[in-house]
Amino acid sequence: MIVVSSCLAGLEVRYNGTHSLDKKISKLVEENKAVTVCPELFGGFSTPREPAEIVGGDGEDVLDGKAKVLDKTNKDVTELYIKGAYTTLEKAQKINATLIVLKENSPSCGSSLIYNGEFSGEKIVGNGVTSALLKRNGLQVISEEQFVKNYV
């Protein structure tokens, strides 16, 4: 079973109330070959919400207590991101996920790139909080770009 970011399946759960529909990913969900997750909603956020970025590192650093996730108003939302990551991990393990396709650049879901924490639009190499936790637990996490390039 494949786990995919809810926004990639067309659900309007992104911070600004939009989606990032990928028709191939959406089709997998319709065919019951994939299930959706939104770590931010699992963590307790609503839609829409303030955009957030990791400040002081990446998702690995957040899990290690060395970095924080702050929203654009400078509110510390780290604990909600960690809660969402652990809930996503539990769901992935429960269904024996073989592959996890998450939205690139997100502070939760980025699997190779995230924003740099300055709300400037600049990206850095790194994992989001959920991607980092899933990878630490031996799960295969890729971006939607990697999925389309290598699996479709």
Side-chain angles (χ1 to χ4, degrees):
M1 183 63 71
I2 299 173
V3 171
V4 299
S5 288
S6 297
C7 62
L8 295 174
L11 300 174
E12 295 177 337
V13 296
R14 295 185 70 223
Y15 74 93
N16 58 2
T18 64
H19 60 73
S20 296
L21 176 65
D22 180 293
K23 289 182 179 171
K24 292 180 174 110
I25 290 173
S26 175
K27 188 170 189 248
L28 290 174
V29 174
E30 290 169 18
E31 295 171 347
N32 293 317
K33 294 178 182 172
V35 297
T36 61
V37 296
C38 180
E40 291 164 6
L41 293 185
F42 289 165
F45 287 102
S46 59
T47 302
R49 58 190 167 273
E50 287 293 323
E53 294 186 8
I54 299 172
V55 177
D58 69 359
E60 299 283 342
D61 299 310
V62 171
L63 293 172
D64 293 340
K66 299 175 185 170
K68 295 181 184 280
V69 186
L70 302 178
D71 75 14
K72 203 166 186 177
T73 68
N74 215 32
K75 180 181 175 190
D76 186 339
V77 292
T78 305
E79 288 307 313
L80 295 175
Y81 276 80
I82 292 172
K83 178 184 174 195
Y86 276 94
T87 302
T88 302
L89 174 63
E90 288 171 21
K91 186 168 185 172
Q93 289 175 328
K94 187 175 181 180
I95 65 166
N96 294 317
T98 54
L99 180 66
I100 301 170
V101 184
L102 299 179
K103 178 72 185 110
E104 194 65 282
N105 308 319
S106 158
S108 288
C109 297
S111 59
S112 57
L113 291 173
I114 57 171
Y115 288 99
N116 71 357
E118 298 173 3
F119 297 94
S120 63
E122 297 287 320
K123 296 171 192 164
I124 59 171
V125 172
N127 289 301
V129 179
T130 298
S131 288
L133 182 65
L134 295 173
K135 287 178 179 182
R136 279 188 180 182
N137 282 273
L139 297 167
Q140 183 182 7
V141 181
I142 63 171
S143 70
E144 69 276 19
E145 290 100 348
Q146 291 169 310
F147 179 74
V148 170
K149 191 165 116 182
N150 297 316
Y151 291 88
V152 178

Short mmCIF file of all heavy atoms in Angstrom, two decimals, residues 4-5 23 39 42 44-45 78 80 87 89 100 130 139 143:
data_model
loop_
_atom_site.label_atom_id
_atom_site.label_comp_id
_atom_site.label_asym_id
_atom_site.label_seq_id
_atom_site.Cartn_x
_atom_site.Cartn_y
_atom_site.Cartn_z
N VAL A 4 0.10 8.70 0.49
CA VAL A 4 0.35 9.94 -0.26
C VAL A 4 -0.15 11.15 0.51
O VAL A 4 -1.10 11.05 1.29
CB VAL A 4 -0.33 9.91 -1.66
CG1 VAL A 4 0.21 8.77 -2.50
CG2 VAL A 4 -1.84 9.81 -1.54
N SER A 5 0.49 12.28 0.29
CA SER A 5 0.01 13.54 0.87
C SER A 5 -1.39 13.83 0.35
O SER A 5 -1.65 13.74 -0.85
CB SER A 5 0.92 14.71 0.48
OG SER A 5 2.14 14.65 1.15
N LYS A 23 -2.76 14.08 -10.92
CA LYS A 23 -3.80 13.17 -11.39
C LYS A 23 -3.41 11.70 -11.26
O LYS A 23 -4.25 10.85 -10.99
CB LYS A 23 -4.20 13.51 -12.83
CG LYS A 23 -4.96 14.81 -12.90
CD LYS A 23 -5.41 15.15 -14.29
CE LYS A 23 -6.19 16.47 -14.24
NZ LYS A 23 -6.50 17.00 -15.52
N PRO A 39 -0.09 15.32 7.58
CA PRO A 39 0.52 15.43 8.91
C PRO A 39 0.13 16.71 9.65
O PRO A 39 -0.02 16.69 10.87
CB PRO A 39 2.03 15.41 8.63
CG PRO A 39 2.14 14.70 7.32
CD PRO A 39 0.92 15.07 6.54
N PHE A 42 -3.27 16.13 11.04
CA PHE A 42 -3.10 15.17 12.14
C PHE A 42 -2.55 15.86 13.38
O PHE A 42 -2.85 15.46 14.50
CB PHE A 42 -2.15 14.04 11.75
CG PHE A 42 -2.68 13.05 10.75
CD1 PHE A 42 -1.80 12.19 10.11
CD2 PHE A 42 -4.02 12.96 10.43
CE1 PHE A 42 -2.25 11.25 9.19
CE2 PHE A 42 -4.49 12.03 9.51
CZ PHE A 42 -3.60 11.18 8.89
N GLY A 44 -3.15 18.85 14.36
CA GLY A 44 -4.12 19.72 15.01
C GLY A 44 -4.37 21.04 14.31
O GLY A 44 -5.14 21.87 14.81
N PHE A 45 -3.72 21.25 13.17
CA PHE A 45 -3.94 22.50 12.43
C PHE A 45 -5.29 22.45 11.71
O PHE A 45 -5.83 21.39 11.44
CB PHE A 45 -2.85 22.69 11.36
CG PHE A 45 -1.52 23.07 11.93
CD1 PHE A 45 -0.52 22.12 12.06
CD2 PHE A 45 -1.25 24.38 12.31
CE1 PHE A 45 0.72 22.47 12.57
CE2 PHE A 45 -0.03 24.73 12.82
CZ PHE A 45 0.96 23.77 12.95
N THR A 78 6.09 23.91 16.66
CA THR A 78 6.91 22.70 16.60
C THR A 78 6.16 21.47 17.09
O THR A 78 6.17 20.42 16.43
CB THR A 78 8.20 22.88 17.41
OG1 THR A 78 8.88 24.05 16.95
CG2 THR A 78 9.11 21.67 17.30
N LEU A 80 3.03 20.72 17.24
CA LEU A 80 1.98 20.25 16.35
C LEU A 80 2.59 19.49 15.17
O LEU A 80 2.03 18.48 14.71
CB LEU A 80 1.13 21.42 15.85
CG LEU A 80 0.31 22.15 16.92
CD1 LEU A 80 -0.37 23.37 16.32
CD2 LEU A 80 -0.70 21.23 17.58
N THR A 87 1.74 10.67 14.23
CA THR A 87 0.46 10.11 13.81
C THR A 87 0.57 9.52 12.41
O THR A 87 0.04 8.44 12.13
CB THR A 87 -0.64 11.19 13.86
OG1 THR A 87 -0.71 11.70 15.20
CG2 THR A 87 -2.00 10.62 13.47
N LEU A 89 3.35 8.37 11.03
CA LEU A 89 4.16 7.16 11.17
C LEU A 89 3.28 5.98 11.63
O LEU A 89 3.37 4.89 11.05
CB LEU A 89 5.29 7.38 12.18
CG LEU A 89 6.12 6.15 12.53
CD1 LEU A 89 6.85 5.59 11.32
CD2 LEU A 89 7.10 6.48 13.66
N ILE A 100 5.97 5.94 0.44
CA ILE A 100 5.27 7.14 0.91
C ILE A 100 5.66 8.29 -0.01
O ILE A 100 6.85 8.58 -0.18
CB ILE A 100 5.64 7.43 2.37
CG1 ILE A 100 5.25 6.21 3.21
CG2 ILE A 100 4.93 8.70 2.85
CD1 ILE A 100 5.73 6.22 4.61
N THR A 130 7.96 15.26 9.20
CA THR A 130 7.36 13.94 8.97
C THR A 130 8.28 13.06 8.14
O THR A 130 8.48 11.88 8.47
CB THR A 130 5.98 14.09 8.31
OG1 THR A 130 5.13 14.81 9.21
CG2 THR A 130 5.37 12.75 7.98
N LEU A 139 11.21 3.75 6.53
CA LEU A 139 10.22 3.82 5.46
C LEU A 139 10.79 4.58 4.26
O LEU A 139 11.59 5.50 4.43
CB LEU A 139 8.94 4.48 5.97
CG LEU A 139 8.24 3.68 7.08
CD1 LEU A 139 7.18 4.52 7.75
CD2 LEU A 139 7.65 2.40 6.52
N SER A 143 9.37 12.34 -3.09
CA SER A 143 8.53 13.47 -3.48
C SER A 143 7.63 13.08 -4.64
O SER A 143 7.84 12.05 -5.29
CB SER A 143 9.40 14.65 -3.92
OG SER A 143 10.02 14.35 -5.16
#
